[in-house]
Amino acid sequence: GAVVSQHPSWVICKSGTSVKIECRSLDFQATTMFWYRQFPKQSLMLMATSNEGSKATYEQGVEKDKFLINHASLTLSTLTVTSAHPEDSSFYICSASTRTGQVDGYTFGSGTRLTVV
Amino acid sequence: KQEVTQIPAALSVPEGENLVLNCSFTDSAIYNLQWFRQDPGKGLTSLLLIQSSQREQTSGRLNASLDKSSGRSTLYIAASQPGDSATYLCAVRIQAGTALIFGKGTTLSVSS
């Protein structure tokens, strides 16, 4: 089945630095990639939607200049957390839209645990 | 605005019990509904996907039902095992091509 590879699985960075998270679709073309964030004991919240070759669409309250999303190819999407602060510490996970016959589903990456110290 | 609620937030059962997890959504106009499993610190594993025209889906010991008109779905787990311990997430998709909207999940603990 469709697989999305996400890395790193965890990262610790200093406050003020930037961190890049990558998601690759291994055996299919991901025209749309969704990026979610999950705080402890909370639901996954959509941050942005990216379509290959175009600018990402950000959800209300998500700073587009802080969370840079690039979807330059059909198999790679990246999320860069710029000038990270402790409040950005969270679980970030990507999801690609997949289609099997007439069924639309989603395949998720394994997630990235970001800790900003 | 579509909202997804899952009850209970946490559940502890002894091994072998059959159990039901509940999911409700505020707007019945959905495209499909999906149940996921999330292990601590891990990503999501898709369990079952129900299209809006379907009433249920089954996979092994799992059965998910959908009552779109009442805005409810249930995930039935038969003969629970310690390996079933995880957080179960319900999510709806309101239109083709849009992102999933998640509930907060039910954290299940099955004791041996």
Side-chain angles (χ1 to χ4, degrees), chain B residues 2-110:
Chain B
Q2 178 73 270
E3 293 185 359
V4 179
T5 303
Q6 291 187 247
I7 296 173
L11 181 63
S12 293
V13 300
E15 182 177 8
E17 274 205 9
N18 302 324
L19 56 99
V20 174
L21 306 181
N22 297 293
C23 172
S24 61
F25 43 97
T26 54
D27 189 339
S28 62
I30 63 170
Y31 181 73
N32 59 29
L33 181 146
Q34 206 161 352
W35 282 93
F36 295 88
R37 169 185 173 137
Q38 184 177 29
D39 292 288
K42 304 292 185 181
L44 276 65
T45 301
S46 178
L47 298 174
L48 291 164
L49 184 150
I50 310 177
Q51 294 292 90
S52 61
S53 59
Q54 297 175 322
R55 288 197 170 269
E56 66 176 350
Q57 284 286 330
T58 298
S59 177
R61 294 183 292 108
L62 304 179
N63 175 278
S65 67
L66 174 63
D67 184 343
K68 202 173 72 164
S69 61
S70 68
R72 296 184 181 188
S73 176
T74 61
L75 178 66
Y76 176 82
I77 303 177
S80 58
Q81 303 171 356
D84 295 330
S85 299
T87 296
Y88 291 81
L89 297 169
C90 169
V92 300
R93 188 176 186 182
I94 57 176
Q95 291 180 18
T98 61
L100 287 167
I101 301 169
F102 284 86
K104 290 185 178 181
T106 294
T107 299
L108 173 65
S109 175
V110 182

Side-chain angles (χ1 to χ4, degrees), chain A residues 41-111:
Chain A
K41 298 189 184 300
Q42 296 297 313
S43 179
L44 277 77
M45 297 300 293
L46 180 68
M47 297 176 66
T49 301
S50 72
N51 292 295
E52 185 266 337
S54 62
K55 290 185 177 180
T57 301
Y58 291 82
E59 295 299 299
Q60 191 173 8
V62 178
E63 300 174 57
K64 63 179 181 180
D65 294 329
K66 181 174 184 61
F67 299 98
L68 303 180
I69 291 174
N70 184 284
H71 195 163
S73 77
L74 288 170
T75 58
L76 176 64
S77 179
T78 61
L79 166 67
T80 301
V81 183
T82 63
S83 186
H85 291 286
E87 57 265 31
D88 298 323
S89 298
S90 185
F91 185 70
Y92 294 86
I93 191 166
C94 62
S95 169
S97 179
T98 58
R99 188 172 182 87
T100 304
Q102 296 299 314
V103 178
D104 288 300
Y106 289 89
T107 297
F108 283 79
S110 55

